[in-house]
Amino acid sequence: MEIPDDLLYTEEHEWIRKVGDGLVRIGITDYAQDQLGDVVYVELPEVGKEVAKDDVLVEVESTKSVGEVYAPFAGKVSDVNEGVSESPELVNQSPYEDGWLVVLTLTAEMPADGLLDAAGYRDLTE
Amino acid sequence: MNRSPLHDLHQGLGAKFVAFGGWEMPVQYTSVLAEHRAVRTSCGWFDVTHLGRFELSGPGSESALLALTSNNVTSIDPGRTQYTLLLNESGGIVDDLVVWWWQPETYWVFPNAANHDHVMAAFAAEPGCSVRDLRSESVLIAVQGPEAANLLETLLGLAPKRFRTATATWEGVEVRMAGTGYTGERGGEVCVEPDIGERLVEALVSAGATPCGLAARDTLRLEAGLPLWGADLDEGTTPLEAGLDFAVDLGHEFRGKSALETELARGVSRRLIGFVLEDKGIPRHGYPVRTSEGEGEVTSGNISPMLDTGIGLAYVSPPPSGAELEVQIRDRWVPARIAEPPFHREKR
């Protein structure tokens, strides 16, 4: 199971990458995509949508089930990956790169608590 | 939790498992989509040892099948198979069954996994009938796809024809099979003692047949428009509502018949229809549907791996007169059209 060292993780199996000042990119982890199985549909939010922490941000659906991706922070959707709309299998093939989901502009400073580093996330999934 | 005698073999092939009808069975090996496509384009095999099965024999066996089930077994002959329904007095579907007719007074009956015990008990209670549980002494392997018959013929020396039984001898042991399945593809189901079954599966794998789990079996049966007992059929639905009229013969007496006759005279209040989404999204069991005249609920839904579109089965009340339907997926109503399965071979 791939768990890159340079990302932060949530207990809901999402990864977070800081990509700029107050900007984070979000996706689901290798573990999450493996649990879901073949991803066949991704429902992305509208760019500009404001979300509160723990709101449903993205629906990732496999042949097996519907996986909900929750907003790890309050913010505004500033970009979405249209690539996964067209090719949902990117979430399986490249969960940390081509299969990213959303970029959020954070409403406030990124809180440090509640997030896991790679080692912490590895402990969670083992 | 019961396990197939082939459990270790599945683990060696990388299977993930799921609990289903009291059994822990393979749900997928690599990818549900890849397994699905292998069955549509070449050949896949499934361990369906969890399926109910018993031998029904004795001088009362034909009368029991006629009295308890809606189809008419005397309309076929020994050596053939039939799909039939066990109903309650209200015409509700207690179970859907497949019958393999070996010879006069000897049938194999296949209930759904979860219904095995009570269906077998219902037949055992009929006069002049004896039943023998086949589950503990056999494994059941479904070999499905356009290449399935060729593969079975190469391995076993013969393949069953569609809806017919066949008996082969392999490595000195009797192999019983029939041209049945639950994928919408040709092929067969093979019932054999566990040790031989394991070697047969190894031979299938060597010959290139794809191991497939229950998840692909479900997307395949849905794409073919085959209803699933427990999702699309249950004791509260009748064969007329479910569009299973072909498995109902009103020319003989059976439990639930008078309820069906009443329903037929009155007209069904709802009907199971197939639909294809016209926009993105995946319909799921329980999602609401609506037409210009009425409403209903999805009972099975998923993606069609061959069409790459959402498909499903839904009960709609009253039975729709047009072809338009909408499915509620979370907060939006997604347009769909009513379609005649098999969805992947639909003639438009």
Side-chain angles (χ1 to χ4, degrees):
Chain A
M1 207 64 66
E2 194 194 345
I3 302 176
D5 283 333
D6 58 341
L7 301 178
L8 292 169
Y9 299 88
T10 71
E11 290 184 358
E12 282 78 40
H13 307 286
E14 296 156 20
W15 58 260
I16 295 154
R17 181 192 296 278
K18 249 188 128 188
V19 288
D21 199 20
L23 284 179
V24 292
R25 183 176 295 163
I26 294 163
I28 67 167
T29 64
D30 195 16
Y31 176 86
Q33 71 76 22
D34 185 62
Q35 290 291 309
L36 272 170
D38 293 304
V39 174
V40 290
Y41 178 60
V42 180
E43 193 164 291
L44 295 166
E46 298 278 337
V47 171
K49 182 182 177 181
E50 309 228 4
V51 291
K53 183 176 186 302
D54 300 330
D55 279 0
V56 174
L57 189 59
V58 183
E59 309 270 3
V60 181
E61 300 202 28
S62 69
T63 52
K64 216 186 291 178
S65 60
V66 182
E68 291 174 330
V69 178
Y70 301 98
F73 323 106
K76 191 171 168 179
V77 175
S78 60
D79 196 6
V80 296
N81 183 3
E82 296 293 352
V84 297
S85 269
E86 291 306 310
S87 307
E89 65 275 14
L90 288 174
V91 176
N92 296 119
Q93 292 162 358
S94 177
Y96 299 110
E97 298 295 336
D98 298 344
W100 66 275
L101 299 173
V102 166
V103 176
L104 269 190
T105 305
L106 303 186
T107 310
E109 209 46 26
M110 190 160 97
D113 53 330
L115 296 177
L116 304 166
D117 61 11
Y121 184 65
R122 192 168 288 115
D123 287 344
L124 184 75
T125 54
E126 270 165 11
Chain B
M1 189 74 73
N2 296 302
R3 279 182 172 181
S4 164
L6 307 181
H7 191 87
D8 291 351
L9 188 152
H10 297 311
Q11 268 186 327
L13 292 167
K16 291 179 182 170
F17 294 89
V18 68
F20 186 79
W23 288 69
E24 187 184 17
M25 297 300 289
V27 64
Q28 70 174 80
Y29 296 82
T30 52
S31 146
V32 178
L33 297 177
E35 292 165 24
H36 182 112
R37 290 178 185 131
V39 171
R40 287 276 180 258
T41 58
S42 57
C43 181
W45 63 270
F46 306 74
D47 182 357
V48 288
T49 293
H50 63 293
L51 288 188
R53 56 193 176 281
F54 61 90
E55 184 172 274
L56 171 68
S57 60
S61 51
E62 182 180 294
S63 304
L65 279 165
L66 289 171
L68 290 179
T69 76
S70 62
N71 213 338
N72 186 341
V73 75
T74 65
S75 69
I76 60 166
D77 295 308
R80 295 189 179 238
T81 70
Q82 187 177 65
Y83 177 76
T84 190
L85 303 163
L86 180 65
L87 305 179
N88 59 28
E89 289 295 347
S90 324
I93 301 169
V94 175
D95 199 13
D96 60 341
L97 313 170
V98 175
V99 176
W100 297 6
W101 192 359
W102 290 108
Q103 57 194 42
E105 300 187 12
T106 307
Y107 305 85
W108 283 8
V109 180
F110 295 77
N112 281 281
N115 294 330
H116 173 85
D117 291 345
H118 71 84
V119 172
M120 191 166 74
F123 278 94
E126 290 290 309
C129 287
S130 33
V131 296
R132 189 175 106 237
D133 194 339
L134 298 169
R135 278 215 285 203
S136 54
E137 62 188 62
S138 66
V139 293
L140 187 65
I141 309 298
V143 186
Q144 305 275 293
E147 299 297 328
N150 286 341
L151 200 53
L152 285 172
E153 195 163 346
T154 306
L155 286 175
L156 301 173
L158 78 160
K161 294 194 170 66
R162 198 171 191 211
F163 305 140
R164 283 167 172 78
T165 61
T167 304
T169 304
W170 194 61
E171 313 216 335
V173 173
E174 196 172 67
V175 177
R176 308 260 230 142
M177 50 191 162
T180 50
Y182 196 46
T183 62
E185 294 298 329
R186 296 297 179 89
E189 291 171 306
V190 181
C191 191
V192 67
E193 65 180 59
D195 291 353
I196 295 295
E198 186 162 349
R199 274 152 61 199
L200 183 63
V201 163
E202 284 164 356
L204 286 166
V205 171
S206 305
T210 302
C212 299
L214 294 185
R217 192 164 181 263
D218 191 57
T219 53
L220 285 157
R221 70 91 192 165
L222 175 61
E223 202 174 59
L226 303 171
L228 171 65
W229 192 90
D232 312 299
L233 312 176
D234 58 36
E235 293 218 34
T237 58
T238 72
L240 304 180
E241 292 173 329
L244 298 175
D245 316 44
F246 71 91
V248 176
D249 164 56
L250 293 173
H252 77 287
E253 295 306 314
F254 58 93
R255 187 194 291 163
K257 180 186 171 185
S258 63
L260 296 188
E261 283 175 329
T262 306
E263 189 184 21
L264 203 58
R266 202 191 300 135
V268 293
S269 59
R270 57 178 190 153
R271 183 170 276 280
L272 188 67
I273 54 93
F275 65 87
V276 177
L277 286 197
E278 302 210 288
D279 198 358
K280 288 191 171 183
I282 314 284
R284 305 271 178 189
H285 181 90
Y287 285 8
V289 301
R290 67 184 183 194
T291 63
S292 55
E293 314 144 294
E295 58 184 24
E297 197 174 285
V298 175
T299 49
S300 286
N302 211 319
I303 193 163
S304 158
M306 303 312 284
L307 300 175
D308 202 21
T309 304
I311 54 169
L313 301 174
Y315 279 98
V316 182
S317 173
S321 52
E324 283 171 20
L325 183 84
E326 286 182 304
V327 182
Q328 190 180 12
I329 300 182
R330 292 178 281 275
D331 55 358
R332 67 195 175 106
W333 285 95
V334 179
R337 60 183 173 78
I338 293 172
E340 190 67 40
F343 298 113
H344 61 296
R345 294 199 184 111
E346 198 192 347
K347 296 179 188 77
R348 292 184 68 184

